[in-house]
Amino acid sequence: MMLTLGIYVFMLRTLPYQTIKRDVTYQWPENKRVGQRATSQFLGPDVETITLAGQLMPELTGGRVSLAALQAMADQGRAWPLIEGSGTIYGMFVIQRLSQTGTQLFPDGQPRQINFDITLKRVDESLHAMFGDLRTQMEGVLHKAGALLDKAQQAAGINP
């Protein structure tokens, strides 16, 4: 597994990208001053995008079906968690742009080669905010699991 975007897994059989480009910008507005250089103030992170680019050979790797699955996800307009195969969590991303170019066509019009670019835009507030939500959810799950365990022990006549 190279990367996952929600339920979609990027790997050699689906959509093996050859390049990944990550752009993060930061907010540094300026305040003009008379007779002096402008001052800048750091306001925090701004836009973060990740662009995946690659080339598919449908006879060997993923093809139009793989791209169609991503397009269906983009059509939903939802944010998806982006996690690298190494375990790095990038955050929640939306599919902002999906571009594909078919070349070296078969007689029926199917491409032998598909070049693609996918631009993902980060939409979560921060990883801290995202993990905070996950922590709250996990605490709820653990509480419910504990309650179920208590009920099961009572039903079995086991006193903890």
Side-chain angles (χ1 to χ4, degrees), residues 61-77:
T61 62
R64 294 171 121 179
V65 173
S66 298
L67 289 167
L70 272 180
Q71 186 169 350
M73 288 174 64
D75 289 345
Q76 291 181 14

Side-chain angles (χ1 to χ4, degrees), residues 25-47:
T25 58
Y26 297 90
Q27 298 179 61
W28 283 92
E30 292 184 352
N31 292 318
K32 304 285 185 190
R33 299 187 300 177
V34 176
Q36 294 181 339
R37 186 173 290 145
T39 61
S40 296
Q41 181 179 4
F42 179 66
L43 295 183
D46 198 10
V47 177

Side-chain angles (χ1 to χ4, degrees), residues 1-2 8-17 56-58 60-67:
M1 173 184 85
M2 300 169 73
Y8 190 85
V9 180
F10 290 86
M11 60 184 169
L12 295 178
R13 290 182 296 163
T14 59
L15 222 53
Y17 54 89
L56 299 177
M57 303 293 199
L60 304 173
T61 62
R64 294 171 121 179
V65 173
S66 298
L67 289 167

Side-chain angles (χ1 to χ4, degrees), residues 1-159:
M1 173 184 85
M2 300 169 73
L3 187 76
T4 63
L5 178 65
I7 58 172
Y8 190 85
V9 180
F10 290 86
M11 60 184 169
L12 295 178
R13 290 182 296 163
T14 59
L15 222 53
Y17 54 89
Q18 280 76 44
T19 61
I20 180 170
K21 179 183 176 189
R22 183 175 178 209
D23 288 314
V24 182
T25 58
Y26 297 90
Q27 298 179 61
W28 283 92
E30 292 184 352
N31 292 318
K32 304 285 185 190
R33 299 187 300 177
V34 176
Q36 294 181 339
R37 186 173 290 145
T39 61
S40 296
Q41 181 179 4
F42 179 66
L43 295 183
D46 198 10
V47 177
E48 179 177 348
T49 60
I50 292 181
T51 302
L52 306 172
Q55 184 179 81
L56 299 177
M57 303 293 199
E59 297 171 307
L60 304 173
T61 62
R64 294 171 121 179
V65 173
S66 298
L67 289 167
L70 272 180
Q71 186 169 350
M73 288 174 64
D75 289 345
Q76 291 181 14
R78 294 185 51 203
W80 306 92
L82 185 66
I83 304 171
E84 195 173 55
S86 66
T88 302
I89 300 171
Y90 288 107
M92 299 295 286
F93 282 77
V94 296
I95 300 171
Q96 189 174 28
R97 188 175 67 83
L98 179 59
S99 171
Q100 56 184 312
T101 305
T103 59
Q104 301 178 16
L105 306 175
F106 286 108
D108 66 354
Q110 295 290 319
R112 284 188 172 107
Q113 178 179 322
I114 302 172
N115 295 316
F116 67 89
D117 291 301
I118 302 163
T119 302
L120 308 171
K121 181 179 177 183
R122 186 170 180 180
V123 294
D124 62 16
E125 190 173 313
S126 67
L127 282 179
H128 176 70
M130 188 171 82
F131 287 137
D133 291 344
L134 292 175
R135 183 177 182 183
T136 302
Q137 292 173 18
M138 185 54 80
E139 288 172 353
V141 168
L142 290 174
H143 177 71
K144 288 179 183 177
L148 286 173
L149 179 61
D150 290 343
K151 287 181 182 179
Q153 286 175 340
Q154 287 175 357
I158 301 172
N159 292 329

